[in-house]
Amino acid sequence: MADAQLLPKRVPCRSTWLRARKARPQLVLSRRPRRRLCALRWCGRRRLRRRLLQAQAAGADWREGGCPVSRSAARRPKTAARSPAPAPAAAAAPGPTCPAPLPIPPVRPAGPGRALLLLPLDQGFTFSGICRVTCLYGQVQVLGYTISQGHPAQEVFSTYTHSRLTINAVHYSMPEKSKKETKREARALLRSHLNRDDRCWVMKNFSPLCSIVMLEQLKTPTVNFLVSHPGLSYVFMQESPTFQINSEHLALRSVGIRREKKKNGLRLTESALSAMEELVTVSCEEVDGCPIILVCGSQDVGKSTFNRCLMNQLLNSISCVDYLECDLGQTEFTPPGCISLLNITEPILGPPFTHQRTPQKMVYYGKPSCKNNYENYIEIIKYVFSSYKREAPLIVNTMGWVSDTGLLLLVDLVRLLAPSHVVQFSSGRSKYMPSLTPDYVDSMDGLYTKSKSRIRNRGFHLAEFAESLEFADEEKESPVVFTGHKLMCVQSDFAFRKTPRNRESHNKVLRDLAVLGYLGQLQPPVPKPLYPLHGLTPYQVPFNAVALRITHADVAPTHILYAVNASWVGLCKILDDVRGYANGPILLAQTPICDCLGFGICRGIDMEKRLYHILTPVPPEELRNVNCLLVGAISVPQCVFKSQRGLEGTIPYITTDYNFKLPGASERVGARESKETREEKVHPKPKLHRKIN
């Protein structure tokens, strides 16, 4: 009898594929189109994607186009013997007429631009795109920051330039209640946010220690400004051929996000998590004062990601965190080329170009690298670090240059900043870097500091550096003795897409996005429409009101205005009084170390009235203190010149006839000649542009 109930061996046949094809929704491709799709070139894939999206936009009837057939049901031979009592597995297998099982975690549309997410305990939702996250019940965590019920909504940016973010449901404490009482409490909390049908769906799928999250569409002036430039919309959302359109896909698309695979999400190693846990504990206890945490390592090992997670976890327990930016190329809160000190009070839930902020202290260095001018780099760090009040934990971000001279500079920073903890990242793909133990720093000569002569009482005594810092009165009485640090080694396992061949171009894209993110502050708040930059009114600055300085190259005085026109300028404040000069322009002989209050674009120079036209988001009350304009190697992104809406005729500031042999005309720092291989150069014309009203 047992042999009579055995099914014959499952062999795929043509009838099996025909039945499975009929049971699929209308947008699911069959076997032959799938083979054709693999052979298509990029233009064919693009046409197919456009047709699928047009067909999807034609109507919403495909939400009920059928449920997918399980592989076991699709592969069951037509000649299978029917048993009088079907097996339980066969009865449980979903068929073409059965409702499809809910995805994990389940998603439900909750109105236009809104989606409801039900997260069981220890489950995560990895996505790409931007949205506003509100925790209606329970507790979730995004990039280390905990969002609980009753907390305000948080803006989350999961972009394609970085690892995808994941919304994780975490354990939360709750009093001992029965499941019925828990459901009654959750239903009462949801009454003000959801309608009856949505509440019934939530209660039907509700389980103990479950978190309920509302995902809403997010529109900000910065995001709208970035997306308005051709080729940058992919940063937040990438359209791809979707072979199955269901209610979940439509709900997430109305929000502006899409579900991603878990492997594409951000993952931290065990060593990184343990180091982060220890640093949070030390920062919250405050036994030995506020810790100074210096994070170092080579390029693309996850230093910036670690800093964001660490700041978010610290903000779960304390009100603010200080952040010292020493990486000129990949800055976190400012445009590139800056050394800054910030006080962080809000979570960091996105890449740098989505959270440009005003620093507490900032100096414009003017280049994405400190090569060929190391002494000025160290002096600027000392100047900015002197504003640290020692009232909150300080996180120091360093460059990814850790070989040769870069390693010597790092040793100088460890001595000058005297961190209590040094977090050193290493990876199998990165270059070798010696462990920065206290003994190694003691015995190693830096670029500007010596080893043996400054050791005293098993620590570092830096008299000349202590004189340049401003300490409180009670701190001046005791000698400044730095007693070493604790080294924390973190093994990184990031699967980054950068290679030595494309790293520079990828970093250039991130720097341009940071500049565009800063310029996005010029736009009015949503829902007002966007204004092109040429349609905004600039400030008029007289020649004799500000001094000029080109920081990255020597430029002849007769060509200074050519270099300033249509350039990215730092709006700075120097101690010297420049109001005594009658005409101008006023040129500085040396680059000053001074406060930078913001940035702008010199969009025109009026030679008749002797005025600069500056476009900047800095408020007018701050602009009254600006008396110096610094021009560096950080340039305005090309899309600002080429892709402005409303331009007709010849585009200003773009030329194909440019003399690269002019002093200061080369993109390379300090170069006088360059290979004339580019047919088009985004640079000021050798003729001053007229005033633009």
Side-chain angles (χ1 to χ4, degrees):
M1 293 297 294
D3 297 337
Q5 295 183 2
L6 290 177
L7 297 178
K9 184 178 181 181
R10 298 179 179 178
V11 179
C13 60
R14 185 170 183 82
S15 59
T16 303
W17 288 105
L18 288 176
R19 287 205 316 275
R21 189 183 307 171
K22 293 179 182 179
R24 292 170 178 168
Q26 300 179 15
L27 280 187
V28 178
L29 299 182
S30 58
R31 178 176 58 178
R32 186 173 298 175
R34 284 204 308 271
R35 291 178 178 176
R36 292 178 181 175
L37 180 63
C38 297
L40 283 178
R41 300 179 62 184
W42 68 271
C43 54
R45 290 173 178 265
R46 188 175 181 180
R47 285 195 299 268
L48 176 60
R49 177 179 63 184
R50 184 169 60 251
R51 291 175 182 174
L52 289 175
L53 295 177
Q54 289 175 354
Q56 175 186 344
D61 295 334
W62 290 339
R63 298 183 183 184
E64 302 175 358
C67 62
V69 182
S70 63
R71 294 186 178 182
S72 60
R75 293 182 180 178
R76 187 177 294 117
K78 193 172 182 180
T79 58
R82 296 186 178 181
S83 58
T97 59
C98 300
L102 291 174
I104 302 297
V107 178
R108 173 185 172 88
R114 303 174 69 194
L116 201 59
L117 177 65
L118 200 62
L119 278 175
L121 183 62
D122 297 330
Q123 290 288 340
F125 175 74
T126 305
F127 70 98
S128 60
I130 58 175
C131 64
R132 182 178 286 107
V133 177
T134 306
C135 185
L136 304 180
Y137 183 83
Q139 191 168 274
V140 296
Q141 198 172 78
V142 183
L143 202 60
Y145 184 74
T146 302
I147 308 175
S148 304
Q149 62 185 47
H151 286 191
Q154 298 294 334
E155 298 178 354
V156 182
F157 304 86
S158 181
T159 64
Y160 281 84
T161 57
H162 295 71
S163 298
R164 315 298 184 268
L165 300 185
T166 303
I167 304 176
N168 293 306
V170 296
H171 181 82
Y172 55 92
S173 60
M174 58 180 301
E176 296 183 0
K177 295 181 181 179
S178 62
K179 186 176 181 180
K180 184 176 182 180
E181 293 176 345
T182 305
K183 282 191 173 184
R184 186 183 296 113
E185 179 184 359
R187 188 182 292 108
L189 291 173
L190 299 177
R191 188 170 289 113
S192 60
H193 300 278
L194 306 175
N195 56 31
R196 183 176 180 180
D197 294 340
D198 294 336
R199 293 199 305 269
C200 293
W201 177 84
V202 170
M203 292 299 103
K204 181 179 179 181
N205 300 279
F206 186 82
S207 60
L209 296 179
C210 184
S211 298
I212 306 171
V213 180
M214 176 66 73
L215 307 176
E216 298 176 286
Q217 189 180 31
L218 175 62
K219 291 184 178 181
T220 64
T222 300
V223 171
N224 293 343
F225 179 73
L226 287 170
V227 174
S228 65
H229 295 85
L232 293 184
S233 59
Y234 76 95
V235 173
F236 299 103
M237 192 68 177
Q238 289 187 359
E239 295 289 351
S240 60
T242 304
F243 302 125
Q244 184 172 354
I245 303 299
N246 50 24
S247 59
E248 177 195 341
H249 175 82
L250 296 175
L252 295 179
R253 187 180 179 185
S254 67
V255 175
I257 62 177
R258 59 177 296 179
R259 186 192 290 266
E260 295 283 349
K261 296 180 180 179
K262 186 178 180 181
K263 65 179 182 180
N264 295 333
L266 176 64
R267 292 173 294 177
L268 296 177
T269 59
E270 291 295 332
S271 57
L273 293 175
S274 60
M276 201 175 302
E277 182 180 0
E278 181 179 351
L279 292 173
V280 171
T281 304
V282 171
S283 301
C284 295
E285 290 178 353
E286 296 186 0
V287 177
D288 300 326
C290 296
I292 298 179
I293 305 165
L294 187 142
V295 182
C296 62
S298 59
Q299 294 179 338
D300 305 322
V301 293
K303 299 190 301 293
S304 299
T305 303
F306 179 85
N307 290 337
R308 297 186 198 110
C309 293
L310 179 58
M311 283 187 286
N312 289 337
Q313 289 204 5
L314 288 173
L315 291 176
N316 291 330
S317 306
I318 58 180
S319 58
C320 62
V321 181
D322 287 339
Y323 183 86
L324 178 61
E325 181 62 80
C326 299
D327 188 356
L328 297 169
Q330 303 298 329
T331 53
E332 184 68 32
F333 299 100
T334 64
C338 298
I339 296 174
S340 58
L341 176 67
L342 299 97
N343 185 259
I344 308 301
T345 58
E346 297 179 357
I348 313 301
L349 303 177
F353 54 86
T354 62
H355 50 251
Q356 295 289 299
R357 300 183 181 179
T358 302
Q360 177 183 347
K361 192 86 166 179
M362 177 172 62
V363 175
Y364 185 45
Y365 186 83
K367 295 187 294 184
S369 174
C370 68
K371 292 183 179 179
N372 304 324
N373 198 357
Y374 311 115
E375 185 176 359
N376 193 34
Y377 174 74
I378 293 294
E379 292 297 327
I380 292 177
I381 292 179
K382 290 163 60 176
Y383 175 76
V384 175
F385 181 67
S386 64
S387 299
Y388 175 50
K389 303 299 183 182
R390 302 177 185 270
E391 297 176 352
L394 176 66
I395 299 176
V396 182
N397 185 37
T398 59
M399 300 183 297
W401 183 30
V402 293
S403 60
D404 302 331
T405 308
L407 180 61
L408 302 181
L409 279 176
L410 185 58
V411 172
D412 287 339
L413 285 183
V414 174
R415 287 181 178 153
L416 297 181
L417 302 181
S420 59
H421 297 77
V422 173
V423 182
Q424 182 174 347
F425 277 78
S426 60
S427 174
R429 305 182 185 181
S430 59
K431 296 181 179 179
Y432 169 75
M433 177 183 175
S435 298
L436 297 181
T437 61
D439 294 336
Y440 179 84
V441 176
D442 286 349
S443 59
M444 182 69 179
D445 284 341
L447 196 61
Y448 297 103
T449 59
K450 302 300 180 181
S451 56
K452 300 297 182 182
S453 61
R454 303 199 183 271
I455 297 180
R456 181 180 300 176
N457 297 329
R458 299 177 62 186
F460 308 118
H461 187 96
L462 303 178
E464 55 189 43
F465 178 63
E467 293 177 358
S468 64
L469 298 180
E470 298 179 0
F471 293 103
D473 295 337
E474 61 273 8
E475 294 178 350
K476 291 181 179 179
E477 298 176 357
S478 59
V480 183
V481 178
F482 301 144
T483 58
H485 60 269
K486 179 179 181 180
L487 179 63
M488 308 177 72
C489 296
V490 173
Q491 184 68 24
S492 176
D493 192 20
F494 273 89
F496 50 85
R497 293 170 291 181
K498 296 182 187 179
T499 61
R501 182 174 298 179
N502 68 355
R503 176 178 288 112
E504 184 58 33
S505 60
H506 190 276
N507 293 340
K508 180 65 166 57
V509 171
L510 295 181
R511 288 195 291 267
D512 289 347
L513 288 174
V515 173
L516 292 175
Y518 184 85
L519 292 176
Q521 302 176 18
L522 288 166
Q523 299 299 325
V526 177
K528 293 183 179 180
L530 288 176
Y531 292 107
L533 295 183
H534 63 82
L536 300 175
T537 304
Y539 292 96
Q540 295 182 352
V541 182
F543 279 7
N544 59 357
V546 293
L548 292 180
R549 175 64 181 173
I550 309 298
T551 63
H552 64 290
D554 295 328
V555 181
T558 55
H559 295 124
I560 285 288
L561 294 181
Y562 297 138
V564 175
N565 197 21
S567 296
W568 182 256
V569 295
L571 310 178
C572 304
K573 176 185 177 182
I574 59 178
L575 299 179
D576 298 335
D577 190 4
V578 299
R579 292 177 296 179
Y581 296 88
N583 296 321
I586 305 170
L587 306 181
L588 297 177
Q590 295 181 350
T591 302
I593 298 179
C594 56
D595 294 345
C596 182
L597 306 181
F599 297 91
I601 298 177
C602 182
R603 53 164 292 182
I605 297 178
D606 191 340
M607 293 300 296
E608 296 179 359
K609 297 182 179 180
R610 309 187 73 79
L611 295 173
Y612 305 110
H613 295 274
I614 306 296
L615 196 63
T616 176
V618 179
E621 55 271 14
E622 293 289 338
L623 289 177
R624 296 188 182 96
N625 301 321
V626 174
N627 58 0
C628 178
L629 301 181
L630 296 183
V631 180
I634 307 301
S635 59
V636 180
Q638 296 187 8
C639 59
V640 172
F641 295 98
K642 294 182 177 180
S643 306
Q644 289 295 311
R645 297 180 180 178
L647 290 177
E648 298 180 359
T650 304
I651 302 178
Y653 305 117
I654 293 183
T655 179
T656 57
D657 184 16
Y658 185 77
N659 186 5
F660 286 90
K661 296 183 179 180
L662 288 175
S666 173
E667 283 188 340
R668 298 178 59 185
V669 178
R672 291 296 178 268
E673 295 183 358
S674 176
K675 295 182 180 180
E676 301 180 8
T677 57
R678 299 181 61 183
E679 297 181 358
E680 184 172 281
K681 171 70 177 177
V682 179
H683 201 278
K685 291 185 179 180
K687 180 180 178 181
L688 291 182
H689 194 64
R690 296 179 300 173
K691 173 184 175 182
I692 304 176
N693 295 323

